[in-house]
Amino acid sequence: VQLVESGGGLVQPGGSMRLSCTASGFTSDDFAIAWFRQAPGKEREAVSCFSLRDADTYYPNSVKGRFTTSSDSARNTVYLQMNGLKPEDTAVYYCAAEFPSYCGSYSSDYEPRSWDFWGQGTQVTVSS
């Protein structure tokens, strides 16, 4: 099982960016993909979740209305569309997969150690 992120880089405040997470090696679609981020000196936090089984999603209040997650099942890819980016969104962004496919409704559902597989991370920097 492998997750590969792409799409990070430098963007100005107020700008947009789309991250991609491509999954390989999965034998079923009964899993969820979450995007986490970690800024220097801070804990890793979930910013979205997408359930491939029922398309359920999750966003914390810090990104709700700005970030959107979606999937392209033909490409085994989950996206994170980020709009209205702020300097405080600067972090390394990781995608992670968990079996079975479930997106909890609370931040406490996203303890990083409970997620089974991780990508290598991609840097997102929001700066003028």
Side-chain angles (χ1 to χ4, degrees):
V1 172
Q2 188 176 21
L3 301 173
V4 178
E5 301 104 335
S6 61
L10 174 66
V11 63
Q12 291 188 341
S16 298
M17 180 177 288
R18 189 178 77 163
L19 305 181
S20 301
C21 175
T22 300
S24 61
F26 291 83
T27 58
S28 78
D29 61 356
D30 190 18
F31 61 94
I33 294 286
W35 285 94
F36 289 78
R37 68 184 180 188
Q38 188 165 21
K42 294 190 176 181
E43 293 186 351
R44 193 169 295 191
E45 63 169 346
V47 295
S48 73
C49 180
F50 187 93
S51 168
L52 273 77
R53 183 177 59 193
D54 57 14
D56 196 15
T57 58
Y58 160 82
Y59 306 96
N61 288 336
S62 58
V63 306
K64 195 172 291 183
R66 300 189 298 124
F67 290 12
T68 303
T69 187
S70 61
S71 77
D72 182 341
S73 58
R75 293 182 169 85
N76 292 327
T77 299
V78 171
Y79 303 101
L80 181 66
Q81 178 67 42
M82 304 183 292
N83 300 326
L85 283 163
K86 306 174 182 179
E88 51 263 42
D89 295 317
T90 295
V92 178
Y93 283 70
Y94 301 88
C95 65
E98 183 184 56
F99 296 84
S101 184
Y102 172 71
C103 289
S105 300
Y106 305 98
S107 60
S108 57
D109 295 321
Y110 297 92
E111 183 64 33
R113 63 173 175 261
S114 69
W115 288 75
D116 303 303
F117 303 97
W118 290 85
Q120 80 285 359
T122 185
Q123 176 71 45
V124 173
T125 302
V126 184
S127 175
S128 56

